């Protein structure tokens, strides 16, 4: 069956993120070998279900989970996120297809540092049912990778032994648990 015909798996209604049971994370290869990982602590997401499901979300860049002040300051600078002019990351889906087995293909516009690019992600969707308080929940877990140069993040430095400090490709992993909102 075509995934274009099974969107009824995203129940009708509006679903908002439960930030305690969700995460927005990224990783990048550092010094040619190690993987640097971090996440954002403050974000919002809304999933609208039904025949044309849509996911919309924002991330507060300042909430990046990095305790080292010099590194965090560099990431907030114009060489990376440019928080003074672009304090939020934004995503709006243009397509969200759920197959019978729960696999997801998600496409949409990602905005980082004022640059908007079409991205595609894959993952899974599930209807959890009621939580311990009886509130209906769904979950969406997707992953993608982007070239940070597409978003104006071109900082890099050559290593003495060859190669560069950072890879251009950044992996993005989003795991959302969403709660139904009353009409």
């Amino acid at each position: 069956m075509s995934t274009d015909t099974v969107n009824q798996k995203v129940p009708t209604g509006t679903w908002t993120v439960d930030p305690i049971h969700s995460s927005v994370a990224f990783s990048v290869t550092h010094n040619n070998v190690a993987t640097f990982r971090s996440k954002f602590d403050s974000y919002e997401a809304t999933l609208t279900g039904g025949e044309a499901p849509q996911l919309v979300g924002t991330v507060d860049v300042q909430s990046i989970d990095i305790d080292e002040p010099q590194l965090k300051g560099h990431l907030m600078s114009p060489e990376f996120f440019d928080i003074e002019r672009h304090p939020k990351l934004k995503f709006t889906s243009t397509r969200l297809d759920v197959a019978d087995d729960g696999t997801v293909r998600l496409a949409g516009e990602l905005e980082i540092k004022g640059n908007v690019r079409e991205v595609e992600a894959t993952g899974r969707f599930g209807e959890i049912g009621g939580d311990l308080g009886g509130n209906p929940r769904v979950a969406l877990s997707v992953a993608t990778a982007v070239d940070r140069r597409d978003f104006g993040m071109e900082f890099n430095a050559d290593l003495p032994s060859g190669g560069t400090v950072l890879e251009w490709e950044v992996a993005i992993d989003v795991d959302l648990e969403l709660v139904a909102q009353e009409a």
Side-chain angles (χ1 to χ4, degrees), residues 91-165:
F91 178 80
T92 302
S93 70
T94 54
R95 188 184 82 239
L96 195 165
D97 297 325
V98 181
D100 286 334
D101 65 357
T103 58
V104 169
R105 293 187 60 85
L106 175 69
E109 293 184 339
L110 177 62
E111 180 178 341
I112 300 175
K113 196 177 170 181
N115 299 285
V116 179
R117 298 289 185 269
E118 184 77 16
V119 298
E120 291 191 11
T122 57
R124 64 188 190 285
F125 175 83
E127 190 170 355
I128 298 170
D131 60 20
L132 293 175
N135 303 303
R137 288 182 178 251
V138 297
L140 178 65
S141 177
V142 293
T144 191
V146 299
D147 186 324
R148 60 190 176 88
R149 292 173 292 191
D150 291 341
F151 297 95
M153 296 184 188
E154 297 189 18
F155 170 83
N156 222 333
D158 292 329
L159 294 169
S161 59
T164 56
V165 171

Side-chain angles (χ1 to χ4, degrees), residues 58-123:
T58 60
V59 172
D60 178 8
V61 176
Q62 183 66 39
S63 75
I64 196 168
D65 186 18
I66 296 176
D67 290 334
E68 205 288 311
Q70 187 174 352
L71 175 57
K72 186 170 182 173
H74 190 203
L75 291 175
M76 298 299 109
S77 78
E79 288 188 312
F80 284 96
F81 289 108
D82 194 4
I83 191 169
E84 290 294 319
R85 295 183 335 149
H86 307 285
K88 301 239 185 234
L89 310 178
K90 300 173 186 170
F91 178 80
T92 302
S93 70
T94 54
R95 188 184 82 239
L96 195 165
D97 297 325
V98 181
D100 286 334
D101 65 357
T103 58
V104 169
R105 293 187 60 85
L106 175 69
E109 293 184 339
L110 177 62
E111 180 178 341
I112 300 175
K113 196 177 170 181
N115 299 285
V116 179
R117 298 289 185 269
E118 184 77 16
V119 298
E120 291 191 11
T122 57

Side-chain angles (χ1 to χ4, degrees), residues 159-181:
L159 294 169
S161 59
T164 56
V165 171
L166 293 173
E167 289 290 325
W168 297 117
E169 184 176 276
V170 177
I172 300 171
D173 296 292
V174 178
D175 294 289
L176 304 175
E177 197 168 300
L178 302 117
V179 182
Q181 299 303 294

Side-chain angles (χ1 to χ4, degrees), residues 8-71:
Q8 67 273 14
K9 288 212 172 217
V10 178
T12 301
T14 301
W15 305 81
T16 57
V17 72
D18 170 0
I20 294 171
H21 297 102
S22 301
S23 65
V24 176
F26 67 92
S27 60
V28 62
T29 301
H30 182 256
N31 287 336
N32 287 326
V33 103
T35 302
F36 174 80
R37 292 179 172 84
S38 190
K39 64 184 179 71
F40 295 94
D41 293 326
S42 178
Y43 48 87
E44 297 178 358
T46 302
L47 176 64
T48 305
E51 289 187 33
Q54 184 178 45
L55 178 67
V56 175
T58 60
V59 172
D60 178 8
V61 176
Q62 183 66 39
S63 75
I64 196 168
D65 186 18
I66 296 176
D67 290 334
E68 205 288 311
Q70 187 174 352
L71 175 57

